[in-house]
Amino acid sequence: MMFLLALPLLASCTSVVSGSPTAGTTLEQAGPAGVVPAGLERFYGQQLGWEDCEPYATTGSTASLFKTKRSIECTRLEVPLDYAKPDGRTIRIGLLRQRANQGRIGSLIINPGGPGASGMSAAASLGADFKSTPVGDRFDLIGFDPRGVGASEPRVKCLTDAERDADRLDNDVDTSPEGVAQTEAENKAYAEKCAAATGPDVLANLGTRDVVRDLDVMRSALGDEKLTYLGYSYGTHIGAAYAQAFPGNVRALVLDGAVDPTQNQVESLIAQAAGFQKAFTAFAAWCAARQDCALGSDVTKADRAFRDLTLPLVQRPVPAGERKLSYGDAITGAIQAMYSEQLWTALNTGLAELKGNRGDTLMLLADNYYDRDKQGRYSTITDAFVAVKCVDEPRVTDRAVLDDVARRYKQAAPFLDDGQPPAAALDACAFWPVPPTVQEHKPVSGLPPVLVISTTGDPATPYEAGVSLAKELGGGLLTFEGNQHTVYLQGNDCVDGAGHEYLISVKLPPEGTRCS
């Protein structure tokens, strides 16, 4: 049954505004639309100048991506740095758009997670595949780089590319008092570099609280009376926080790979450790069925086999092209491969290379995780991840708690046990120059139907987190049986069909729907 005719057109008519744009720039004013908070009218109704995306690229990988996509256009959205001071300093948020084909309903704004991942890059990557879907027919696809990220200005950048390479060679596994003291000194220096390079005023306003406010400005400036949003991983946290802050402004939310809003950071970390162990065990079973399995044919010994291959790197990194693969990078490469079964073959190859004292494939996987391009340039994802976490979460500085977390983490993920006594150093957030802006979680009511998608074998955001989020938002849960992190718009007909139907008609799939 089709409900399209019953849906109001959420976007007001777009008008081209007179002015003197630079060559190749189209000025549009589609807002203000919907509810506009007092004092923020100039932001909610601002004019946007859409232009070619190539100048918005900040790494070699994004440059190549933007250059090959001719159906996209980019702009920047002006917002207050501090919403408590709307007449003060402003910053700019990078946006990328691919227009709807026909029968436009409105904008579908996406965030790929992180925190710190580029929504502009994610939207460009979907490209033609998205355009050929029913959702691509009806929605402008909008990707945004959250404040401090990618093409947004200013960007968070704590370390130079050379400093990041050097940091990756430093394993920080020594849990002796001297080792902990050294790690804490490095973390303190990192926090100081972030403050010096980015500025405390910017760091103080980078959290989810502020991203949610930006998202509402974006909604209005794009001409949408209500928000239609797709969030992956940490992007589900943004979506849930938006629902809490602006419940009356929600049209539809797809939240895939959920962050559990009811868990504190300690419980979330332990749950994630268990999720990665579950994914590693599934990889080990897949690997054991192969004659070339680097871990051998006995799944019960896979944890030990993995440690035997990786732990020697603590003392002796191995060549990886012109660089050296550290223990930390080997672990990061393995973690990256847990995100999708499609990377399991690469992980097996990388582990087999370790037997020959080579680290090329694991280094490629780790570079992918850190978003390092072939020219050795890093995106903002790592620094932004830390900066957002440090203002989004309460500080944990009780050493007894930290030591207990280290012990529980090793128990939850024995394949990652580095063999050191469980002890933990204060992280960079303990030395952060600005206080947290964490928002108290509160139950949300009055929302339209919300679709939560959760994967049974998701390593990073375990399945139970999706169950919890759906319950908290009074939404529907779509279960995907598989081993990967997030699934919508990745080629599964069952999941994609349910997601498309929901976004177009705001109709949830039948309760208990499972896809595989």
Side-chain angles (χ1 to χ4, degrees), residues 194-364:
C194 289
T198 305
D201 56 338
V202 174
L203 294 179
N205 294 283
L206 283 181
T208 304
R209 175 199 67 176
D210 303 288
V211 174
V212 162
R213 299 294 300 271
D214 297 342
L215 188 56
D216 200 52
V217 174
M218 199 181 307
R219 168 200 60 76
S220 174
L222 291 168
D224 291 349
E225 293 182 6
K226 293 185 182 292
L227 176 72
T228 303
Y229 174 82
L230 166 61
Y232 296 101
S233 196
Y234 162 76
T236 69
H237 181 56
I238 295 174
Y242 183 92
Q244 180 172 311
F246 301 102
N249 294 357
V250 173
R251 175 186 173 270
L253 302 176
V254 175
L255 306 177
D256 184 359
V259 175
D260 189 338
T262 67
Q263 284 185 328
N264 62 38
Q265 69 228 64
V266 170
E267 296 305 322
S268 180
L269 181 65
I270 300 305
Q272 189 176 80
F276 279 113
Q277 181 65 45
K278 181 179 179 181
F280 178 80
T281 300
F283 160 74
W286 168 87
C287 186
R290 300 167 56 101
Q291 290 188 349
D292 65 345
C293 180
L295 299 176
S297 59
D298 188 344
V299 177
T300 64
K301 297 180 180 179
D303 291 347
R304 168 65 68 182
F306 178 82
R307 294 194 299 265
D308 287 345
L309 287 173
T310 56
L311 282 173
L313 296 171
V314 172
Q315 301 298 328
R316 187 175 61 84
V318 299
E322 297 180 354
R323 298 154 66 199
K324 293 283 189 179
L325 179 79
S326 66
Y327 172 74
D329 275 343
I331 296 302
T332 300
I335 290 294
Q336 175 66 17
M338 295 298 101
Y339 279 76
S340 172
E341 289 184 16
Q342 296 178 6
L343 296 176
W344 286 2
T345 298
L347 176 56
N348 185 51
T349 298
L351 294 175
E353 287 174 352
L354 284 184
K355 295 180 178 181
N357 293 316
R358 298 293 306 178
D360 303 69
T361 301
L362 286 175
M363 183 68 88
L364 285 173

Side-chain angles (χ1 to χ4, degrees), residues 63-286:
S64 298
L65 184 61
F66 291 172
K67 185 175 183 179
T68 59
K69 305 289 184 179
R70 306 319 308 171
S71 62
I72 60 176
E73 52 192 345
C74 292
T75 190
R76 288 188 176 93
L77 176 85
E78 186 179 10
V79 297
L81 171 62
D82 183 350
Y83 277 91
K85 301 173 182 178
D87 296 326
R89 179 182 175 185
T90 62
I91 60 175
R92 300 200 298 166
I93 307 300
L95 305 182
L96 179 146
R97 177 172 70 182
Q98 180 173 270
R99 292 179 182 269
N101 294 330
Q102 59 190 7
R104 181 180 181 275
I105 294 173
S107 304
L108 173 61
I109 302 176
I110 71 167
N111 180 275
S118 167
M120 296 175 71
S121 178
S125 296
L126 289 172
D129 290 338
F130 178 85
K131 204 168 182 65
S132 65
T133 68
V135 176
D137 276 341
R138 308 304 300 278
F139 290 92
D140 292 344
L141 177 64
I142 305 291
F144 74 101
D145 285 356
R147 50 175 59 206
V149 172
S152 293
E153 299 173 338
R155 293 192 298 156
V156 177
K157 191 71 173 176
C158 303
L159 300 183
T160 66
D161 295 333
E163 287 173 331
R164 178 66 62 194
D165 276 346
D167 184 66
R168 287 172 58 181
L169 280 169
D170 186 0
N171 292 308
D172 286 331
V173 298
D174 182 2
T175 57
S176 69
E178 295 78 15
V180 168
Q182 178 186 345
T183 300
E184 289 183 355
E186 293 168 353
N187 290 340
K188 184 174 185 290
Y190 176 83
E192 291 170 348
K193 288 180 180 180
C194 289
T198 305
D201 56 338
V202 174
L203 294 179
N205 294 283
L206 283 181
T208 304
R209 175 199 67 176
D210 303 288
V211 174
V212 162
R213 299 294 300 271
D214 297 342
L215 188 56
D216 200 52
V217 174
M218 199 181 307
R219 168 200 60 76
S220 174
L222 291 168
D224 291 349
E225 293 182 6
K226 293 185 182 292
L227 176 72
T228 303
Y229 174 82
L230 166 61
Y232 296 101
S233 196
Y234 162 76
T236 69
H237 181 56
I238 295 174
Y242 183 92
Q244 180 172 311
F246 301 102
N249 294 357
V250 173
R251 175 186 173 270
L253 302 176
V254 175
L255 306 177
D256 184 359
V259 175
D260 189 338
T262 67
Q263 284 185 328
N264 62 38
Q265 69 228 64
V266 170
E267 296 305 322
S268 180
L269 181 65
I270 300 305
Q272 189 176 80
F276 279 113
Q277 181 65 45
K278 181 179 179 181
F280 178 80
T281 300
F283 160 74
W286 168 87

